[in-house]
Amino acid sequence: MRQVRRTCRNIAMNDRSELIEEIIRIEYAMLGRVHNLGGPAACQEQCDAFHLVRKSQFLTWSDALLESYARDLEDAEALGRNLVFEKYAWMMQPALPVEFAKVRHVLPDLSPERVARQEETIAVHKGWDEDFARRYPALSGRGRPLYTSEDTPASTSMETYLRGELSSYSDRTEQLYHDFVAACAAAGRNLTTEAREHQLRLEGWASLDAAEHALQAK
């Protein structure tokens, strides 16, 4: 974990991709230590796919966010916490309440103010997700359902996934992310679209439109 702190301090001088790669490496190690209901989840056995999705998300983030989240991971490991486990534990709450109740005691308490702030962030993301789904229905159809109301024991929505992820951040990182999302929305950015564009370009597609047209033609 010393590499994380060293990279954080030198982010202005080094390629930020190094920090992204280190964050993903630590997350994947944490994922490997999660005991999933019903056996290993697909993502635990698909390192390349996990790397692709996480890198696509982190490429949209500011340097300050990357630094703060890297510190979250470092602090968590020092305390014996697993932030990926905590994310997936929070995600069980809507569709697996009995299982969630069994692990709730190990999760941190979130203040009412923080929960309200997270919901503001989620509301912006839902708008972005809906806009992406309208513009790219075939690509959107390949992903998670959009809303928590669509959760099942076998399928978790984008809304629930984001709520779990936000709940795993430190107060510092969650506040930074809230402010970052608000600034992006004010500037007319759509982080859902940006992340999916990064993902598809990493997969070799020329553009979102090219991928959408190819899927619609099938």
Side-chain angles (χ1 to χ4, degrees):
M1 295 304 298
R2 293 175 182 173
Q3 179 63 32
V4 175
R5 186 175 296 279
R6 183 163 59 249
T7 307
C8 287
R9 289 174 177 171
N10 296 332
I11 193 170
M13 295 178 286
N14 296 334
D15 187 342
R16 66 189 240 125
S17 66
E18 295 178 10
L19 181 56
I20 291 174
E21 293 299 326
E22 181 67 5
I23 287 171
I24 295 170
R25 184 191 67 78
I26 297 165
E27 281 194 327
Y28 194 70
M30 287 184 171
L31 177 64
R33 298 194 293 271
V34 174
H35 298 292
N36 186 57
L37 293 173
C43 57
Q44 290 178 296
E45 300 175 338
Q46 298 174 353
C47 180
D48 290 345
F50 179 86
H51 180 275
L52 178 69
V53 172
R54 297 305 284 170
K55 182 174 183 177
S56 300
Q57 175 180 329
F58 294 137
L59 284 171
T60 70
W61 283 21
S62 68
D63 289 352
L65 263 176
L66 291 171
E67 291 182 40
S68 187
Y69 184 54
R71 287 174 57 192
D72 286 359
L73 292 168
E74 181 180 42
D75 293 343
E77 292 236 313
L79 294 171
R81 291 173 59 191
N82 184 330
L83 298 189
V84 176
F85 160 76
E86 292 183 13
K87 172 172 69 175
Y88 284 103
W90 284 111
M91 286 164 53
M92 292 193 298
Q93 188 171 12
L96 294 165
V98 174
E99 288 78 5
F100 175 74
K102 295 176 182 177
V103 298
R104 177 63 185 90
H105 67 284
V106 304
L107 300 174
D109 292 325
L110 305 178
S111 70
E113 293 78 15
R114 171 164 172 170
V115 171
R117 195 167 57 238
Q118 289 184 181
E119 292 304 313
E120 292 175 358
T121 299
I122 291 165
V124 175
H125 266 278
K126 284 199 290 187
W128 286 337
D129 293 343
E130 290 164 352
D131 178 69
F132 181 84
R134 284 192 297 269
R135 295 171 61 197
Y136 303 101
L139 285 169
S140 179
R142 294 175 63 196
R144 297 174 180 273
L146 298 187
Y147 308 112
T148 295
S149 59
E150 300 173 273
D151 282 5
T152 70
S155 176
T156 303
S157 65
M158 296 176 71
E159 178 184 354
T160 297
Y161 185 95
L162 177 59
R163 188 172 288 114
E165 180 145 321
L166 292 175
S167 298
S168 74
Y169 295 164
S170 67
D171 288 341
R172 177 195 63 250
T173 300
E174 185 275 324
Q175 178 72 69
L176 277 172
Y177 192 76
H178 173 273
D179 295 345
F180 175 68
V181 165
C184 288
R189 294 177 62 184
N190 180 326
L191 295 187
T192 298
T193 299
E194 290 181 21
R196 293 300 293 273
E197 184 170 21
H198 283 303
Q199 180 178 341
L200 288 164
R201 288 191 183 278
L202 290 169
E203 290 177 339
W205 292 98
S207 67
L208 283 168
D209 288 335
E212 178 69 18
H213 292 155
L215 284 173
Q216 289 185 4
K218 289 183 178 180

